[in-house]
Amino acid sequence: MTQRIDYNNIAPLGMKAFGGVYSYVLQCGLPTELIELVFLRVSQINNCAYCLDMHTRDLIKKGVAIEKIALVQAWDEAGTLFNERERAALNWAESVTKVAETHVPYDDFQRAKDLFSEKELVDLTIAINLMNAYNRMAISFRSVPQAAIQ
């Protein structure tokens, strides 16, 4: 795969704005492992090779068990590997990412609202939407995954 456009160099202020949202998400109070799991799941749904590679590496660096990383896309069938908040966050990530299909049903909202405060749920949704935007940039312009460069 060859990168089409280096969007970081072409529109640095635009990408810096994305970075500001990313910085907010990292300091919003949600556990970083939860955020990274959600980032990975969104990237799986969108099939973003660049982001899949990056967030898998980030989770490994954080010491997350490889079994857990491997089963993110099947979180609903992974027994107790994921705690209730992680399961609700991953469900919410799927529902919001597939908004054209799901229309984010009330049951998905209620499941998330039962386990997250309103601020946490808004912050989680910001994280999900940010990752969808990053995925769309990386896919559109064919960002090359680190694994493909080595």
Side-chain angles (χ1 to χ4, degrees), residues 5 10 44 50 56 71 86 91 106 117 124 145-146:
I5 295 175
I10 300 297
Q44 288 172 337
Y50 179 83
T56 298
L71 291 176
E86 291 169 338
N91 184 69
Y106 182 78
S117 70
L124 180 60
Q146 183 180 341

Side-chain angles (χ1 to χ4, degrees), residues 1 3 5 10 13 18 28 33 45 49 53 73 75 87 107 109 134 138 142-143 150:
M1 175 169 51
Q3 185 173 20
I5 295 175
I10 300 297
L13 293 178
F18 276 32
C28 73
E33 182 177 323
I45 293 166
D53 181 61
Q73 73 183 49
W75 63 266
R87 295 165 65 79
D107 288 348
F109 169 74
Y134 272 131
R142 301 296 191 262
S143 294
Q150 298 174 351

Side-chain angles (χ1 to χ4, degrees), residues 3-17:
Q3 185 173 20
R4 293 174 173 170
I5 295 175
D6 182 352
Y7 51 86
N8 288 301
N9 285 327
I10 300 297
L13 293 178
M15 296 314 298
K16 184 177 180 182

Side-chain angles (χ1 to χ4, degrees), residues 5 9 29 72 84 137:
I5 295 175
N9 285 327
V72 167
E84 282 305 308
M137 294 299 291

Side-chain angles (χ1 to χ4, degrees), residues 39-101:
F39 283 171
L40 181 60
R41 184 64 191 122
V42 169
S43 299
Q44 288 172 337
I45 293 166
N46 292 324
N47 202 33
C48 180
Y50 179 83
C51 297
L52 285 167
D53 181 61
M54 178 173 39
H55 297 296
T56 298
R57 290 172 189 276
D58 289 346
L59 284 161
I60 290 168
K61 285 179 196 169
K62 291 182 185 329
V64 177
I66 195 70
E67 296 82 5
K68 189 170 190 173
I69 297 168
L71 291 176
V72 167
Q73 73 183 49
W75 63 266
D76 203 24
E77 299 175 19
T80 59
L81 194 57
F82 296 92
N83 66 41
E84 282 305 308
R85 280 174 55 98
E86 291 169 338
R87 295 165 65 79
L90 291 166
N91 184 69
W92 185 245
E94 289 181 6
S95 191
V96 171
T97 298
K98 298 177 182 180
V99 66
E101 297 168 34

Side-chain angles (χ1 to χ4, degrees), residues 15-36:
M15 296 314 298
K16 184 177 180 182
F18 276 32
V21 176
Y22 180 75
S23 293
Y24 171 79
V25 168
L26 292 182
Q27 64 78 39
C28 73
L30 290 170
T32 56
E33 182 177 323
L34 176 78
I35 293 167
E36 286 295 336

